[in-house]
DNA sequence: AAATCAATCCACGAAAACAAGGATTTTCAT
DNA sequence: ATGAAAATCCTTGTTTTCGTGGATTGATTT
């Protein structure tokens, strides 16, 4: 029996998943949660093999939750099940060390296959996801400082204002801006912001 | 018996919905579709009261589909069930004349209530949606020309380039830009693009 | 018929961003 | 310890955007 916990903030989808997975006698759904907090409670009280998790939960980002799970329960294998198909999220989660990444609009059977494979120790990503990764290899990879500046630019700050906020020279923040434009392959700040959002680098 | 058709491109959610709705003896699920095309086929061959529909289908935008449905089958009541909570989409769909707008992360029971209410001739939107509408009243309302210019700005064109493309003076496209910044309450072009995307004015 | 709004155009000056380079110092991993 | 990458700062000149404040035409609504 593979012991599974599901975190998913859409009650309807969660219900559907629970029902579907329960039909497979290899699986045991030991708990479901609508948010990160109750998910952690369940994990603390039960032995779990696989955590199936959505990325945008009401109380915590999937990124944070998976880091916590990875450090507190290193043996639990995480499979991301989300509708975020942006390269940033895919990369971030794989870097954290999740074992699977699937999109919600994929067939149900794929989840079962992935659970088996991940339980056996493999890392499994759907065809769709690997295509997105392939399309973006070698492309955008920004540093933490650049990410910081990016967010401030998106909020409408000028080089000078960014400089004041980060205690750096406006020339530096201008350099970061230029690098961001370059890395995103954009022609100016406006279109850079657009592709950064498209790729998931700016959350909201 | 209320005759219901569901269009939803997430197979898992579609399955869950079908199961859940079937349990209510007042409802008859006469068909489900994973895309717009097969949805229209079903509607042509069956008498339908209510169409429950997602917004981003693989073959057609929810906006287009609902327009087609409204003109071909004026009696069918449409309930939007989506995860798009941006004011632009909400407004657009309500303008087209849908009878309901719900978010996917709301409780299942709300769907049932909404179906009954809409079937009775009411227009029903969830609390969450009406809050978003309230928060945005009187705010952003851009013209078709501004929308056109907005898209070009987001693609990285300058005033001059936009002017060339639209056969207008660069001063005009600059005026549009300024109005957009003003209407979105942004401080410059970059943050204007961000909020425009957040509000759903720039699709992709 | 009057009013409103969309779309177009304008001026002028100030502020900010862009282009195309280069250079130094931290930080971090091997 | 040494390279590589990241973060910092720099120059010069050009282009673009921003701020403020208009004006005109045409379509639509009341």
């Amino acid at each position: 029996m593979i012991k599974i916990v599901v975190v998913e903030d859409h009650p309807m989808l969660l219900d559907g998943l629970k029902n579907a997975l329960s039909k497979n006698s290899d699986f045991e759904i030991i708990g479901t949660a609508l948010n990160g907090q109750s998910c952690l409670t369940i994990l603390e009280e039960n032995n779990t093999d696989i955590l199936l998790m959505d990325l945008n939960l009401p109380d915590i980002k999937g990124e944070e939750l998976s880091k916590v799970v990875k450090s507190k329960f290193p043996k639990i294998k995480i499979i991301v099940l989300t509708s975020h198909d942006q390269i940033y999220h895919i990369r971030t989660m794989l870097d954290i060390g999740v074992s699977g990444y699937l999109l919600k609009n994929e067939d149900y059977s794929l989840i079962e296959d992935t659970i088996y494979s991940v339980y056996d120790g493999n890392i499994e990503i759907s065809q769709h996801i690997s295509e997105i990764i392939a399309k973006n290899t070698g492309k955008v990879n920004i540093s933490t400082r650049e990410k910081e500046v990016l967010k401030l630019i998106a909020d409408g700050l000028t080089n000078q204002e960014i400089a004041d906020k980060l205690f750096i020279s406006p020339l530096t923040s201008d350099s970061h801006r230029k690098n961001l434009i370059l890395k995103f392959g954009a022609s100016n700040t406006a279109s850079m912001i657009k592709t950064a959002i498209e790729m998931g680098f700016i959350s909201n």
Side-chain angles (χ1 to χ4, degrees), chain A:
Chain A
M1 287 282 265
I2 303 178
K3 292 185 279 298
I4 302 171
V5 169
V6 187
V7 216
E8 164 64 58
D9 76 316
H10 292 30
M12 289 172 273
L13 183 56
L14 181 59
D15 225 61
L17 267 175
K18 196 166 62 178
N19 279 329
L21 291 170
S22 305
K23 284 180 189 149
N24 186 322
S25 59
D26 292 337
F27 300 158
E28 186 190 357
I29 311 296
I30 58 175
T32 65
L34 287 162
N35 57 64
Q37 203 40 252
S38 65
C39 167
L40 286 172
T41 310
I42 293 169
L43 295 184
E44 265 155 26
E45 291 168 357
N46 301 275
N47 211 24
T48 306
D49 295 314
I50 290 198
L51 172 61
L52 206 59
M53 103 170 157
D54 191 9
L55 285 191
N56 48 341
L57 301 167
D59 56 343
I60 188 173
K61 276 189 212 160
E63 195 179 324
E64 300 308 316
L65 180 59
S66 54
K67 275 180 192 163
V68 174
V69 172
K70 272 281 143 195
S71 74
K72 280 196 176 174
F73 319 97
K75 282 181 196 158
I76 298 179
K77 307 276 174 74
I78 300 174
I79 298 173
V80 176
L81 179 64
T82 183
S83 34
H84 291 297
D85 59 355
Q86 299 115 320
I87 186 64
Y88 173 77
H89 290 117
I90 299 169
R91 276 213 203 117
T92 304
M93 297 313 288
L94 290 176
D95 285 351
I96 289 172
V98 302
S99 305
Y101 200 114
L102 303 175
L103 290 178
K104 280 184 181 173
N105 63 355
E106 291 174 308
D107 283 340
Y108 169 72
S109 62
L110 195 63
I111 298 188
E112 294 210 351
D113 296 348
T114 303
I115 291 175
Y116 283 122
S117 177
V118 163
Y119 184 71
D120 285 344
N122 302 312
I123 288 174
E124 202 70 42
I125 55 180
S126 72
Q127 173 114 38
H128 196 205
I129 296 296
S130 51
E131 277 166 15
I132 294 171
I133 295 174
K135 215 173 58 189
N136 286 282
T137 38
K139 263 191 182 167
V140 183
N141 208 290
I142 70 177
S143 68
T144 48
R145 194 54 153 179
E146 283 167 341
K147 209 162 116 186
E148 222 171 336
V149 172
L150 172 58
K151 196 171 284 290
L152 296 175
I153 293 175
D155 284 340
L157 305 213
T158 65
N159 288 328
Q160 183 62 60
E161 290 166 337
I162 293 167
D164 290 346
K165 185 153 269 178
L166 301 182
F167 304 106
I168 55 178
S169 153
L171 295 162
T172 305
S173 75
D174 191 49
S175 289
H176 287 312
R177 181 193 294 264
K178 284 171 189 160
N179 278 327
L180 286 164
I181 291 173
L182 193 71
K183 286 188 176 180
F184 281 108
S187 57
N188 58 26
T189 302
S191 63
M192 185 269 285
I193 292 297
K194 188 194 166 202
T195 68
I197 292 177
E198 268 173 16
M199 291 184 173
F201 283 88
I202 299 173
S203 51
N204 244 331

